Amino acid sequence: MFDDLVDATTGTRGAGALSSWARVENAACARRVAAMAAMLDAAYAVSGSADRDQWCLDNVDAVAAHIGAAQRITSGAASHQLVIAVALHERFPRVAAVFAEGLITYALVKTVVQRGALVIDPDALRALDALLAEAFGDWEPLSMDKTEKAIDAYVSQVDPQAVRRAETKARSRGVEITYDEDGSGMATVYSTLFAHNAKAFEARLKALAATVCPADPRTADQLRSDAFGAVGNHLDRMACLCGTEECTAAQNPPATGVVVYVIPSEDTLSDPAPQDTAPAPRPETPAPPAEVAGDTIGEPAEADVELDDLDAASEADEAAGQGERAALDGEPPRLFDKLLRDLTLSEALAPAPGYFAPLRPAALMGGQFLPGAIACRASVGATITPIVHPGLAPPENHYRPSKKLADFVRARDMTCRFPGCRVPATNCDVDHTIPWPHGPTAASNLKCVCRHHHLLKTFWGGENGWRERQLDDGTVIWTAPDGHEFVTTPGSRLLFPELSRPTATVTTTGRPTPHTAGLTMPRRRTTRAQARAERIHRERAGPC
């Protein structure tokens, strides 16, 4: 069937080619989804799999981790796809057949699974599956809202109690934080909250913005934006950036117990600060990257930073760096000095001054890109801790790595080292690749792994499970249960390649014990299926 769809694209062009390849894409997606469901079926077919359903990291989690590694997506995203795949093939086989023919999209399939989740009677479910499969033969394009309502109409025909109730706006309130992927080092916060809380928050932002002196270079909007950082850091005032000696607000910067880890290079922080901003602190002696905890939108905080022992910047670069930092505040400059119709093509297309930033970029712990100027702002009032590359130093003679070694491993890795996982290294365990004491406590044998994937490695590992080996430069090669290999490199390699310089080669002592010797997997109180059944029962019952 799939080959026939591909052959049908031969000789097509324009809208015909677009339509033909869209159907091929849908059919290919259907086969990908079917492969996910088959992977879970295979996991359940293994002896002893029923007992693993009450493991903290159960069969579904283990398969989702494998799916995430294969697609280079997070385990959370893979888990969501697996839930859709299983529900589609167990509950809606006729809809799955239409999907396999490429006649509907994955988005529509996902909506069917979600809107039909409360149908529990087998006869009603079969009737719903048949109605939808027939309807999709001549389904017209609809908006998401109209699609949901149309599917709900079919659900109501077979089981009125299974229609998912529309949430009130109050129940759908929440906060969404999106980190911009354009390299700007900015993020967007969108929140829906009660009106009285919004009023209180607005007043709080205005009060914080008023704690700086009138000479602060930021506009009113910029001050309110930076006040968000002050709220997040539990501050009762903001750091003034006027840079004058007489300013009492600048002389008494606020302190905070909140830590945000920023990894810049030493030359980024060592350039002299511009006159209209507070001077950035610098370490007493040069050092490689270090840990800096700081507020990326201008509020002081305790921090850890990665610094590199680099040559001093030229005077021209220093001046450009000062301008880059100063450009963060104040009114935006005019795009052009003369009318657009009077510009030549070269003038119109020329990058703005400072476009090619001289300051070396930094990163947030977790891997998000951060321009050098914003890293300098994060360092205002921050604590700077040098990160020291261990070089060929011998292993430490104890299980728990020293703070200096752990700081280096976290700064080098930035995130969990399992394929596709983006958990920041500061929220991860520092794990021995070759278990202690047979594997040494050394940089070449240590990596950051989140607790979820640490449990996966420990209890779903072994000869027929997940295995890994680590190279001297921090590269980790994971081998999946099916034998496929996935290579992950340290997250700092692109911006701070000096952190990936090889360290001393490890030597194994003796024969490592079995990976689960003396350990017990934490267990769930209820299985995943039991928890799902309880959620469906509550939603079908409605509010008390």
Side-chain angles (χ1 to χ4, degrees):
M1 173 64 187
F2 184 77
D3 292 338
D4 292 340
L5 292 177
V6 175
D7 292 340
T9 63
T10 304
T12 59
R13 62 185 60 185
L18 182 64
S19 176
S20 297
W21 283 111
R23 187 171 177 182
V24 170
E25 181 182 11
N26 293 336
C29 183
R31 281 148 181 80
R32 178 171 61 89
V33 169
M36 295 181 196
M39 289 175 67
L40 186 60
D41 289 340
Y44 279 128
V46 175
S47 176
S49 65
D51 181 63
R52 290 177 172 178
D53 270 345
Q54 282 198 278
W55 281 13
C56 178
L57 199 148
D58 61 4
N59 291 283
V60 173
D61 286 323
V63 173
H66 199 167
I67 291 172
Q71 298 186 98
R72 289 288 178 164
I73 59 176
T74 65
S75 291
S79 180
H80 180 71
Q81 291 183 7
L82 180 58
V83 168
I84 300 297
V86 171
L88 175 66
H89 287 82
E90 290 183 355
R91 294 168 55 82
F92 300 97
R94 296 186 63 174
V95 172
V98 176
F99 188 29
E101 294 178 12
L103 297 175
I104 56 178
T105 65
Y106 178 75
L108 182 56
V109 165
K110 184 168 65 173
T111 305
V112 167
V113 170
Q114 293 170 343
R115 304 310 296 180
L118 302 186
V119 180
I120 55 178
D121 180 74
D123 293 335
L125 189 59
R126 282 192 292 271
L128 177 62
D129 187 28
L131 286 171
L132 290 174
E134 182 179 357
F136 290 154
D138 55 356
W139 193 264
E140 295 181 358
L142 298 172
S143 66
M144 178 59 68
D145 181 61
K146 290 183 178 180
T147 298
E148 291 180 351
K149 289 179 179 178
I151 294 174
D152 285 347
Y154 288 107
V155 173
S156 67
Q157 291 182 37
V158 300
D159 186 356
Q161 198 68 17
V163 176
R164 308 207 72 157
R165 295 168 179 82
E167 295 180 338
T168 64
K169 192 162 186 178
R171 290 182 62 186
S172 63
R173 67 186 183 277
V175 177
E176 180 180 349
I177 302 177
T178 304
Y179 295 93
D180 298 346
E181 299 293 341
D182 57 1
S184 63
M186 305 300 289
T188 301
V189 179
Y190 180 83
S191 176
T192 303
L193 60 163
F194 292 122
H196 63 280
N197 287 337
K199 280 289 185 182
F201 193 74
E202 182 182 25
R204 174 69 170 155
L205 295 182
K206 289 182 178 179
L208 284 168
T211 58
V212 301
C213 81
D216 189 285
R218 289 169 286 187
T219 65
D221 284 341
Q222 291 164 357
L223 285 169
R224 283 194 295 270
S225 173
D226 290 357
F228 268 87
V231 171
N233 283 292
H234 300 174
L235 303 178
D236 58 2
R237 63 191 185 280
M238 292 172 58
C240 186
L241 301 182
C242 67
T244 60
E245 296 181 357
E246 297 78 12
C247 177
T248 56
Q251 293 171 0
N252 187 26
T256 175
V258 177
V259 178
V260 177
Y261 293 90
V262 181
I263 305 176
S265 58
E266 184 179 18
D267 58 342
T268 297
L269 300 188
S270 62
D271 286 335
Q275 296 300 314
D276 59 349
T277 61
R282 58 180 299 175
E284 295 180 0
T285 58
E291 227 181 343
V292 168
D295 180 352
T296 59
I297 56 175
E299 301 307 320
E302 285 187 344
D304 285 346
V305 176
E306 263 191 55
L307 307 173
D308 269 340
D309 189 7
L310 305 172
D311 295 333
S314 65
E315 292 184 4
D317 283 345
E318 290 178 358
Q322 293 177 9
E324 186 182 347
R325 287 187 289 261
L328 296 177
D329 307 313
E331 296 292 343
R334 291 181 58 188
L335 185 60
F336 300 112
D337 293 330
K338 52 185 177 181
L339 295 176
L340 184 60
R341 65 173 179 266
D342 296 331
L343 293 175
T344 66
L345 182 61
S346 298
E347 290 173 331
L349 298 180
Y355 182 85
F356 299 103
L359 292 178
R360 188 176 177 185
L364 291 175
M365 186 66 74
Q368 292 92 348
F369 179 89
L370 202 64
I374 297 181
C376 291
R377 175 62 59 82
S379 70
V380 175
T383 299
I384 299 179
T385 305
I387 295 298
V388 180
H389 190 288
L392 300 179
E396 298 178 350
N397 58 359
H398 40 75
Y399 169 74
R400 188 177 299 277
S402 64
K403 183 180 184 302
K404 181 171 72 172
L405 179 56
D407 285 348
F408 166 76
V409 172
R410 288 194 167 97
R412 179 197 67 191
D413 290 354
M414 287 193 179
T415 66
C416 170
R417 296 299 304 281
F418 190 81
C421 187
R422 304 303 300 168
V423 174
T426 45
N427 298 343
C428 293
D429 300 329
V430 177
D431 172 56
H432 288 74
T433 298
I434 303 172
W436 168 272
H438 305 285
T441 301
S444 296
N445 193 45
L446 295 174
K447 64 182 181 302
C448 293
V449 185
C450 69
R451 185 60 53 86
H452 181 87
H453 290 120
H454 201 164
L455 289 173
L456 178 78
K457 167 200 167 180
T458 303
F459 293 96
W460 293 87
E463 293 183 2
N464 298 317
W466 285 96
R467 291 148 286 158
E468 86 271 48
R469 56 191 175 93
Q470 185 170 342
L471 306 184
D472 295 348
D473 63 354
T475 297
V476 179
I477 303 171
W478 295 83
T479 303
D482 61 1
H484 283 83
E485 290 189 345
F486 304 95
V487 179
T488 67
T489 56
S492 62
R493 179 163 295 182
L494 181 61
L495 292 179
F496 305 103
E498 57 273 19
L499 290 176
S500 294
R501 294 198 311 266
T503 52
T505 302
V506 301
T507 302
T508 305
T509 305
R511 182 183 180 86
T513 56
H515 63 287
T516 55
L519 301 176
T520 302
M521 167 72 88
R523 299 181 73 85
R524 300 169 178 263
R525 293 184 178 180
T526 60
T527 66
R528 190 183 296 267
Q530 291 169 338
R532 178 178 177 273
E534 177 61 26
R535 287 196 303 270
I536 291 176
H537 175 74
R538 286 198 306 266
E539 189 167 352
R540 284 179 62 92
C544 298

